[in-house]
Amino acid sequence: MTVFIYLALFALLLGGIGMALLRLDARQIASTLRMSAPVALGIFGLILTITGRGAFGFGLMSLALAMFTRARMRARTTPGSRGNRKSRVRTAALEMELDLDTGEMNGLVLAGRYEGQFLADMKKEDLYVLIRELEPDPESVQVLEAYLDRREPAWRDDLDPDMDEGLRAPPASGSMTEEEAYEVLGLSVGATESEIREAHRSLMKRVHPDAGGSVFLAARINEAKDILLSRHR
């Protein structure tokens, strides 16, 4: 009889979760399921343990704990999560990240002699070597210029004037996937139209060329907005 009572309580719990999900949008549903599924599984494992099925119950509780820990880590690193909103732009040689809350920018070198190094850990002299090395790659150059403008405002005075002119070749950006568009705007999959427009406005204030930003970054942000808004048309 006790088993049926516990099972009935478990069923009520699932029913409550289901009713709550009906009031959420797609992004919120995905987030809620990631957190509530391991909780429900853990409760079921506890029920089995209490009713004498400890071997199976402990296994379910261990699995639930692992799932819950993974879900929390994912929530902290998901683009667009509160307190950790980041915009990411990739080129052939760089992966740049802009913190939407603090405005701080950093990047990871993906190719060349400095591969695997973060820009924030590099000396400015090494950054100057890197930007010369990237001269054949206008997209990467424009992204690195945006970073240098924030970190070393007078960096152009340290470079050969002729070299600086050569670094200003127009970017030839490749096509962007929907997944990349979400990363560029710092949003989670399933973001609403209003969230897309708000993220676009916030980013453009930080990287627009008129505000000392980058033409390439501004173009990528506009492209990301257009791709995601096309889903709502």
Side-chain angles (χ1 to χ4, degrees):
M1 187 66 177
T2 304
V3 177
F4 290 110
I5 294 176
Y6 284 129
L7 289 176
L9 291 174
F10 182 68
L12 287 174
L13 174 64
L14 292 180
I17 293 174
M19 292 296 293
L21 292 178
L22 292 176
R23 295 191 293 269
L24 303 177
D25 60 33
R27 182 170 59 86
Q28 293 171 321
I29 288 174
S31 177
T32 301
L33 284 176
R34 283 196 298 268
M35 302 301 292
S36 60
V39 172
L41 186 62
I43 293 174
F44 186 54
L46 179 61
I47 292 173
L48 292 178
T49 302
I50 293 174
T51 56
R53 297 171 177 80
F56 191 51
F58 277 120
L60 285 180
M61 286 191 290
S62 297
L63 176 60
L65 179 60
M67 291 173 61
F68 185 76
T69 301
R70 183 177 179 182
R72 289 190 62 186
M73 292 178 63
R74 182 173 179 180
R76 287 197 295 267
T77 58
T78 299
S81 58
R82 181 173 297 180
N84 191 41
R85 301 181 306 136
K86 298 182 185 298
S87 168
R88 293 181 177 88
V89 174
R90 292 186 185 88
T91 67
L94 295 172
E95 178 176 330
M96 192 65 65
E97 182 178 273
L98 173 67
D99 191 307
L100 302 185
D101 297 312
T102 66
E104 294 182 0
M105 182 181 286
N106 196 3
L108 176 67
V109 183
L110 303 177
R113 75 179 73 182
Y114 297 106
E115 181 178 355
Q117 293 192 39
F118 286 97
L119 300 181
D121 298 330
M122 295 172 62
K123 297 178 181 179
K124 69 177 183 179
E125 291 79 12
D126 293 329
L127 292 173
Y128 298 162
V129 173
L130 177 61
I131 200 168
R132 290 186 174 95
E133 182 180 292
L134 296 178
E135 186 181 3
D137 179 3
E139 290 186 356
S140 297
V141 166
Q142 290 237 352
V143 171
L144 185 53
E145 283 182 338
Y147 174 78
L148 284 170
D149 285 339
R150 291 168 180 264
R151 174 174 158 178
E152 305 287 344
W155 68 271
R156 289 180 175 83
D157 297 333
D158 297 332
L159 287 178
D160 185 298
D162 295 332
M163 175 65 72
D164 185 41
E165 287 300 317
L167 296 177
R168 295 207 165 272
S173 79
S175 59
M176 182 185 297
T177 65
E178 188 172 300
E179 181 181 359
E180 289 173 332
Y182 280 116
E183 289 192 351
V184 168
L185 294 183
L187 296 171
S188 299
V189 175
T192 64
E193 181 176 351
S194 61
E195 289 173 330
I196 294 168
R197 294 188 182 279
E198 180 182 355
H200 174 263
R201 284 194 297 269
S202 177
L203 274 170
M204 289 302 288
K205 289 178 182 178
R206 295 185 182 278
V207 305
H208 195 279
D210 292 342
S214 162
V215 173
F216 173 72
L217 289 177
R220 295 295 273 179
I221 290 167
N222 283 330
E223 183 180 359
K225 181 199 70 171
D226 292 340
I227 288 174
L228 297 184
L229 287 181
S230 66
R231 299 184 303 105
H232 297 273
R233 293 169 185 165

